[in-house]
Amino acid sequence: MKSEFEEIVKDDFKQYKEIAKRFRDVKMEDCVELQNLTTDSWLLATRWSEIQSLASKIAQESGINKTDFGTWAYQKYRQLQEMHITCRSWYRLAKEDERMLKGLEIV
């Protein structure tokens, strides 16, 4: 279901959807994409934190409910934070697996 708020921060929401799709499709073995997602999700979470902190101003300019918009923006921020944490953990595990496999090849 499309939110009325998506149109207010159109470009930011487009970036959010792109990262969410990349997160959905990432493979645990893809260290490069995991590292990129870790960075990208952190950077975009920072942007959504800013959007949430400006909720009052944005709501006033857009004629929407401040609390609802702020809550919506905060949820996007939290989801991006969780993506960041998850990708960081998966990246670490993938690197550990790589090291272990390299160690087995030597034997």
Side-chain angles (χ1 to χ4, degrees):
M1 175 186 257
K2 189 171 182 174
S3 169
E4 66 181 298
F5 304 137
E6 292 173 21
E7 289 298 314
I8 296 167
V9 287
K10 191 180 240 177
D11 292 335
D12 297 294
F13 190 74
K14 180 181 175 187
Q15 292 175 1
Y16 171 82
K17 285 187 351 183
E18 289 170 1
I19 284 183
K21 183 180 183 305
R22 287 170 52 204
F23 178 76
R24 182 194 69 205
D25 296 339
V26 72
K27 304 289 185 247
M28 287 275 302
E29 309 81 37
D30 190 350
C31 289
V32 172
E33 179 64 358
L34 286 169
Q35 186 175 31
N36 290 338
L37 272 169
T38 298
T39 303
D40 295 347
S41 59
W42 179 81
L43 289 170
L44 195 55
T46 302
R47 172 66 182 138
W48 279 91
S49 175
E50 180 182 356
I51 291 169
Q52 194 271 330
S53 70
L54 295 171
S56 182
K57 181 180 177 183
I58 294 169
Q60 186 177 24
E61 291 172 355
S62 303
I64 57 174
N65 182 286
K66 173 190 122 179
T67 303
D68 292 344
F69 180 75
T71 300
W72 179 79
Y74 178 76
Q75 291 304 316
K76 300 302 175 231
Y77 160 75
R78 283 294 300 144
Q79 290 166 352
L80 287 160
Q81 261 192 330
E82 291 298 322
M83 284 182 216
H84 167 76
I85 292 166
T86 300
C87 288
R88 190 178 67 200
S89 297
W90 288 350
Y91 174 80
R92 182 181 39 97
L93 291 172
K95 287 307 233 181
E96 287 173 4
D97 286 349
E98 276 183 5
R99 282 191 291 278
M100 184 183 70
L101 290 173
K102 282 182 181 179
L104 292 175
E105 290 174 5
I106 294 171
V107 175

